Amino acid sequence: MSVTHLRWGTDELSLILCFDTAGPVRVLAAGEAATLPDPGREPELCTLLTHRALPLVEIQTPGSGRLGTSGKRHVDGATSLALRYTGHEEVHERRRDGDVRVLRVRMTDETTGLRVTAVCTLREGIPVLRTEACLENAGDRQVTLEYVSSFACSNLARHLGDGERWEDGLALWLAANPWSGEYRWSRATLAERGLYDVGMVPFGQTGSKNRIAVTSTGSWSSSEHLPMGCLEETRTGRALLWQIEHNGSWHAEVADRFDDVYLALSGPTDREHHWRRILAPGESFRTVPASAAFVPTGGLEAALAAMTRYRRATRRPHPDHQGLPVVFNDFMNSLMGEPSTKALLPLVDAAATTGAEYFCIDAGWYDVEPPGTVGPGGVPGWWDAVGEWQESGTRFPGGLMEVLDRIRDAGMVPGLWLEPEVVGVRSPVATALPDEAFFRRDGVRLAEWGRHQLDLRHPAARAHLDGVVDRLVHDYGVGYLKLDYNIDIGAGTDGPDGTDSPGDGLLGHNRAYLDWLDGVLDRHPTLVLENCAAGGSRTDHAVLSRLPIHSVTDQQDFRHLPAIAAAAPTAVTPEQGAIWAYPLPEHTDAELGMVMVTAMLGRVHLSGRPDLLTEHQKGTVREALATYKTYRHLLPTARPHWPLGLPYWRDGWLALALSTADGTTLLALWRRDGAPETVAVPLPWTTEADRPRLVFGAGPQPSYDWDGPERTVRVTLPAERSAVLLSFGAGPGGTPA
């Protein structure tokens, strides 16, 4: 039987698809164009790869299940195997910000009438593939979907050498993402993660039936793991890094199949997330998007560099991406949700004199409870009463505008904290809005920690939030809104009429939330919206491609924060990642330097108590912020590096470097408790002439020695709990060492 091959892509990243009249369209191979197999010259290899290849889109339905295997894995769905190629189109769009290539492959299952269009997108010069699938029921009977892949690719071990087992030759990077300990990457071979070649393929079996699965269920997309991972060849550093671009439930699995390895990515599923979608005739469904970076060498770090470029190229433009203003927020180790006119005015003056450019009043500005009132679960008393977002007359006897005007008079832009998606069970809004405007299951309105969850698909819910935002912008003149989200509502909602599967109801709300964000920014294009969800519990590209700034963590201990800040650029571009800098009077000079350096390779979120600092301490903070402003314009093009490796939670020395478009390298180093005084840091991308300069530090004087031929700097920090910021090349700083 004749097999047709379709080659598509760029020099940096291409695909080979194959199909015939008796089978689905399959992904034969993906990678840089020069390494793809040639069906004309390598027919036997391509036949083997075709046997192992997965369909371009994996689909499972209850009436057909899977063929050839069983178990928990989401491959070999009978519906996907029944799809047949019906056509494709290639589009090449020439844009000022870089050419874009799009491939649409159309397939049909003649039995059910299901039509599937797989959409692949590439940007010129960026080896990152974005994929999604659109399904339409063109038949005369309903079709129930239980799983649809966003990305499915096999033959990922095809580059391994003879005699090299995939279980040892491939390593998998995953990132645990605990609250206040975010971005905990770890690397282990597939065997170390429990996936082995069990030797059953020669006996006619597909493989082990096992898988390495990572799943997130609920409305916090990254509360346990980042929606990311990386498959890396241990010997060569060839790597495939992926991200699922969704702000809700998702699933990723790596497994073996016919003596090779596959990766399948998706949004919610029936098995993991209580998701099903019933498509009546004429109805359609679109998967959540996923993207994958392919690099031939350099491992995870090189793949992250490619993904960083992709994230910048695919986000909504906003002036904040270039301005990078310093934001003061009154919450962290400061007022902690107890703002008032009396408490805020000294902070406003102190923030302005230290160099802040925005001032955000965090939680509590609407609180009518007596100060210090404790609500459910030990939180402030307003916790289960939020939702109206009206100023508190008791906290602001002269009106909130008195404080906002003081902020403006001090030369700063005022901002406020909101938690838009929730309504407290005691809030008047809880009774003012219809039941259908909230998450419900089995006719019962859901409650979590004293809050209800709005369903933004309902026009009343959206109109309420639009009214709140427009009022705050027009009446109060705020230029900044911190959008927080402190509950995880679980599997989802069965919708306004009770017919949605919970997972599909959540998916619908997730998409409505993104649409709401787009609407807010369309109406207020210069308004800065900060993404926050109990710190970094909603770290995903669906939101980060829309909002210009992201709160990476709620961590309050300055000793722990560097491990988070140093790893944050794996998931957030440096110019979007807001890191706390909370100077306190009890900090030593060295500790104060550590507090400030931790934020200086990202977005500075100043907090703490600058109003209580000594003049000497205030001078240190002013110096740090003034220095930051001399180079922050370099961050929007910076590439992150981890010259000591990605940080583990208890590492004594931590390092984060950013190399920028003008040849500058900025290097932040932290010495924590128990670490030796001196560390050697390799910087192989620099030149021999790039001698180090001191950009910022506080406390005992650091020393550093540059070994040009080895591209290595030896740095000594005399004090524990200290940090230093150095530059190399043409960047800021004093006289080179």
Side-chain angles (χ1 to χ4, degrees), residues 606-681:
L606 187 65
S607 194
R609 295 307 302 260
D611 56 322
L612 302 181
L613 300 180
T614 67
E615 288 303 314
H616 172 71
Q617 289 174 317
K618 290 178 183 178
T620 299
V621 175
R622 279 195 296 269
E623 179 190 354
L625 296 183
T627 300
Y628 174 77
K629 293 173 184 178
T630 68
Y631 65 80
R632 61 182 171 183
H633 64 281
L634 300 174
L635 301 189
T637 63
R639 169 184 170 172
H641 304 265
W642 294 270
L644 298 180
L646 283 171
Y648 288 98
W649 188 241
R650 306 283 179 192
D651 282 352
W653 278 94
L654 305 175
L656 171 64
L658 299 180
S659 59
T660 69
D662 73 344
T664 298
T665 289
L666 296 165
L667 173 66
L669 287 168
W670 296 266
R671 182 190 172 198
R672 302 205 288 179
D673 290 345
E677 285 191 357
T678 302
V679 66
V681 184

Side-chain angles (χ1 to χ4, degrees), residues 446-604:
L446 301 186
E448 175 73 5
W449 202 359
R451 275 99 174 277
H452 299 304
Q453 166 82 45
L454 289 173
D455 186 339
L456 286 182
R457 295 175 295 175
H458 196 281
R462 179 154 179 170
H464 164 64
L465 291 189
D466 282 342
V468 168
V469 170
D470 292 349
R471 172 172 52 84
L472 296 177
V473 172
H474 292 142
D475 295 355
Y476 288 90
V478 300
Y480 189 102
L481 290 175
K482 177 179 178 178
L483 304 183
D484 209 341
Y485 182 54
N486 287 301
I487 63 168
D488 187 336
I489 201 61
T493 175
D494 52 23
D497 57 7
T499 61
D500 291 344
S501 66
D504 201 46
L506 177 60
L507 175 61
H509 164 76
N510 295 146
R511 287 173 160 164
Y513 176 70
L514 298 177
D515 187 65
W516 176 71
L517 292 177
D518 287 337
V520 170
L521 289 170
D522 287 344
R523 297 195 306 277
H524 309 290
T526 61
L527 179 66
V528 179
L529 297 180
E530 176 189 337
N531 178 47
C532 183
S537 296
R538 193 151 61 182
T539 304
D540 60 74
H541 192 61
V543 177
L544 292 179
S545 64
R546 290 167 168 83
L547 302 191
I549 187 167
H550 173 65
S551 179
V552 303
T553 187
D554 278 348
Q555 177 55 248
Q556 288 184 251
D557 191 327
F558 77 97
R559 298 170 299 174
H560 295 317
L561 191 54
I564 300 169
T570 60
V572 189
T573 63
E575 66 273 21
Q576 289 179 276
I579 312 294
W580 292 108
Y582 29 66
L584 298 171
E586 59 264 31
H587 288 147
T588 67
D589 286 351
E591 290 171 343
L592 190 55
M594 187 179 200
V595 165
M596 299 309 298
V597 168
T598 298
M600 291 175 70
L601 289 188
R603 295 296 300 276
V604 178

Side-chain angles (χ1 to χ4, degrees), residues 217-231:
T217 300
S219 50
W220 281 344
S221 59
S222 59
S223 62
E224 294 182 306
H225 287 87
L226 291 179
M228 297 177 62
C230 183
L231 199 63

Side-chain angles (χ1 to χ4, degrees), residues 265-297:
L265 309 175
S266 73
T269 72
D270 178 53
R271 186 184 295 273
E272 285 82 12
H273 310 104
H274 306 287
W275 176 87
R276 295 185 313 284
R277 168 63 72 87
I278 298 175
L279 293 184
E283 291 185 336
S284 61
F285 170 72
R286 175 175 53 88
T287 68
V288 306
S291 56
F294 293 76
V295 295
T297 59

Side-chain angles (χ1 to χ4, degrees), residues 57 117-120 130-134 149-150 286-290 511:
V57 181
T117 301
V119 183
C120 303
R130 184 183 189 269
T131 59
E132 60 183 344
C134 302
S149 66
S150 301
R286 175 175 53 88
T287 68
V288 306
R511 287 173 160 164

